[in-house]
Amino acid sequence: MRIGILGTGIVGRSIAQGFVLAGHEVAIGTRDVDGLMARTEEDQMGNPPFAVWHAEHDDIAVTRYAGAAAHGELLVNATNGAGSIEALTAAGEENLAGKILVDTTNPLDFSKGFPPTLFVANTDSLAEQIQAAFPSAHVVKAWNTMTAALMTNPAAVADGDHTLLLCGDDADAKAAFTAIARESFGWKDVVDLGDLTGARALEAYVTLWVRAMGALGTPLFNIRLVTAS
Amino acid sequence: MRIGILGTGIVGRSIAQGFVLAGHEVAIGTRDVDGLMARTEEDQMGNPPFAVWHAEHDDIAVTRYAGAAAHGELLVNATNGAGSIEALTAAGEENLAGKILVDTTNPLDFSKGFPPTLFVANTDSLAEQIQAAFPSAHVVKAWNTMTAALMTNPAAVADGDHTLLLCGDDADAKAAFTAIARESFGWKDVVDLGDLTGARALEAYVTLWVRAMGALGTPLFNIRLVTAS
């Protein structure tokens, strides 16, 4: 399948690599390709500059947001939460229309220090704001509840014995993404939390994720929903 | 140990029963003992009236909030979130002073329908409000992330192979509660999320819990934190 990834940070890179490994055709989009490729410093998290990473992943096309969105039959929003509406606007609603848009973002606000608060919470969510801004896209909220390395490689923790949570308003989009998650990436336990208002809960969970990362001393963890049966 | 439970709903009853089964001396407190014992209808959830339940649990003392708080060396706030400050005020700060106060509440607001929103969220929590109102108590946020039946009986799901999350500002209080959780109730995996601001994350999680309950079709579940090791 043709996949368009929006965002070239560690989340976008990790997801792009995962889709390529599973045999998909991937384009990754950014605001300014020349600027991105010219960067020579590591990012704040110590990740290598994009061009260094891309030299080892040159089967991934690098293009502007609109090019990646036009390329993809399925799109992944891996941009910074605070910049997502702007990035998707640059991608162009006509390039999002009728497509699955997997929203991996979290509305993190670090302006008050660490741990972060959320810039939208409780009665609304970033995913709902994105869906409202781009009504012809089929937003599926997913992958925001774990570190990038697990999204397309659940086996990196406990043989994949943990849970992928998602929600969205379009049943077909959720079914298609769930099939990819299972078949391309090996997710065993996928739980659909219902309509896109569930993103309020999934995005709020990131505050618990940050706390648990601190307690566990690693981002390489996830939750498993454990039932009586 | 002498345990004081505040609140006579299903959470208070279940916890009271759990402590008694583990050999503790339990008093359960309410606003109006005569009114409580005179009730003959089931509650909104179909639970039997308190007097019917208590007839089978008459080793649990029934008293006013202040009596239960005075009795307990360890206290559990199992009142409705919206009424917690009022109930604790009735319990009397002098009866809370220096004691562990396990706060099981969630700030659920059903006024906008189902699923509920939270009446405090993101930058504050009910547990922090309780701690601020009663600074001499040692608030430990715990047990709010699961259904009542699991709090003192984790083995009811998957042989107890799931996680008890807690937080609080007092290390000794957390250590004492953790010891009780392990020794009296058999909790195997207890994760301390740090200071009481972690309650923002634990209380926000209830919105995910409500969604997951709907998806799983049962409240008899919990999460397990799954790591790479």
Side-chain angles (χ1 to χ4, degrees):
Chain A
M1 186 183 260
R2 293 194 312 278
I3 309 293
I5 312 281
L6 308 178
T8 58
I10 194 67
V11 175
R13 295 180 201 181
S14 183
I15 292 172
Q17 186 175 356
F19 273 104
V20 166
L21 283 172
H24 299 280
E25 294 169 63
V26 178
I28 192 166
T30 190
R31 188 176 55 82
D32 169 12
V33 174
D34 292 343
L36 176 69
M37 297 301 280
R39 252 176 252 159
T40 56
E41 301 95 50
E42 296 180 346
D43 71 10
Q44 294 171 316
M45 308 289 285
N47 299 302
F50 184 85
V52 171
W53 175 83
H54 189 254
E56 297 178 356
H57 299 88
D58 57 6
D59 43 2
I60 296 169
V62 184
T63 177
R64 297 181 67 186
Y65 287 133
H71 166 82
E73 299 165 279
L74 178 147
L75 307 179
V76 180
N77 176 24
T79 61
N80 188 291
S84 285
I85 298 284
E86 188 182 339
L88 289 162
T89 300
E93 178 150 18
E94 69 280 13
N95 294 320
L96 312 178
K99 297 179 180 175
I100 301 169
L101 176 60
V102 182
D103 178 36
T104 73
T105 61
N106 281 303
L108 293 170
D109 177 1
F110 288 95
S111 68
K112 298 176 192 74
F114 192 90
T117 58
L118 304 178
F119 63 75
V120 51
N122 196 11
T123 57
D124 196 6
S125 64
L126 185 51
E128 289 168 273
Q129 293 183 352
I130 289 170
Q131 183 68 82
F134 306 98
S136 60
H138 302 310
V139 176
V140 176
K141 188 84 198 186
W143 278 340
N144 73 303
T145 58
M146 65 194 70
T147 197
L150 292 184
M151 296 174 182
T152 58
N153 186 23
V157 164
D159 289 329
D161 187 22
H162 45 89
T163 305
L164 173 59
L165 299 168
L166 59 81
C167 68
D169 289 338
D170 190 280
D172 291 341
K174 290 192 287 191
F177 176 70
T178 299
I180 291 168
R182 291 185 184 280
E183 291 156 23
S184 288
F185 306 125
W187 280 98
K188 302 171 192 172
D189 187 33
V190 183
V191 174
D192 178 358
L193 296 180
D195 69 26
L196 198 61
T197 62
R200 301 172 194 182
L202 291 177
E203 293 174 9
Y205 168 80
V206 74
T207 62
L208 181 55
W209 186 89
V210 168
R211 287 274 174 173
M213 178 182 66
L216 298 171
T218 175
L220 271 180
F221 73 93
N222 191 14
I223 56 172
R224 185 159 72 87
L225 291 183
V226 182
T227 57
S229 59
Chain B
M1 187 183 259
R2 293 195 312 277
I3 308 294
I5 314 281
L6 308 178
T8 58
I10 195 68
V11 176
R13 295 180 201 181
S14 183
I15 292 172
Q17 186 174 357
F19 273 105
V20 166
L21 283 172
H24 299 281
E25 294 170 62
V26 178
I28 193 166
T30 191
R31 188 176 54 82
D32 169 12
V33 174
D34 291 344
L36 176 69
M37 297 302 279
R39 254 176 251 158
T40 56
E41 302 96 49
E42 295 180 348
D43 72 11
Q44 293 170 317
M45 309 290 285
N47 298 301
F50 184 85
V52 171
W53 174 84
H54 189 254
E56 297 178 357
H57 299 88
D58 57 6
D59 43 3
I60 297 169
V62 184
T63 176
R64 297 181 66 186
Y65 287 132
H71 166 82
E73 300 165 277
L74 178 147
L75 308 178
V76 180
N77 176 23
T79 62
N80 187 291
S84 285
I85 298 283
E86 188 182 338
L88 289 161
T89 301
E93 177 150 18
E94 69 280 13
N95 293 321
L96 312 179
K99 295 179 181 176
I100 301 169
L101 176 60
V102 182
D103 179 35
T104 73
T105 61
N106 281 303
L108 292 169
D109 177 1
F110 289 95
S111 68
K112 300 176 191 74
F114 193 91
T117 58
L118 304 178
F119 63 76
V120 50
N122 197 10
T123 57
D124 196 7
S125 65
L126 184 51
E128 289 169 273
Q129 293 183 352
I130 289 170
Q131 183 67 83
F134 305 99
S136 60
H138 302 311
V139 175
V140 176
K141 188 84 198 186
W143 279 340
N144 73 302
T145 59
M146 65 194 70
T147 197
L150 291 185
M151 296 174 182
T152 59
N153 186 23
V157 164
D159 289 328
D161 186 22
H162 46 89
T163 305
L164 173 59
L165 300 168
L166 59 82
C167 69
D169 289 338
D170 190 279
D172 291 340
K174 289 192 286 190
F177 177 69
T178 299
I180 290 167
R182 292 184 184 279
E183 291 156 23
S184 288
F185 307 126
W187 279 97
K188 301 172 192 172
D189 187 32
V190 183
V191 174
D192 177 359
L193 296 179
D195 69 25
L196 198 59
T197 62
R200 301 172 194 181
L202 291 177
E203 294 174 7
Y205 167 80
V206 74
T207 62
L208 181 55
W209 186 90
V210 168
R211 288 273 175 174
M213 178 182 66
L216 299 171
T218 174
L220 270 180
F221 73 93
N222 191 13
I223 55 173
R224 184 159 72 87
L225 291 182
V226 182
T227 57
S229 58

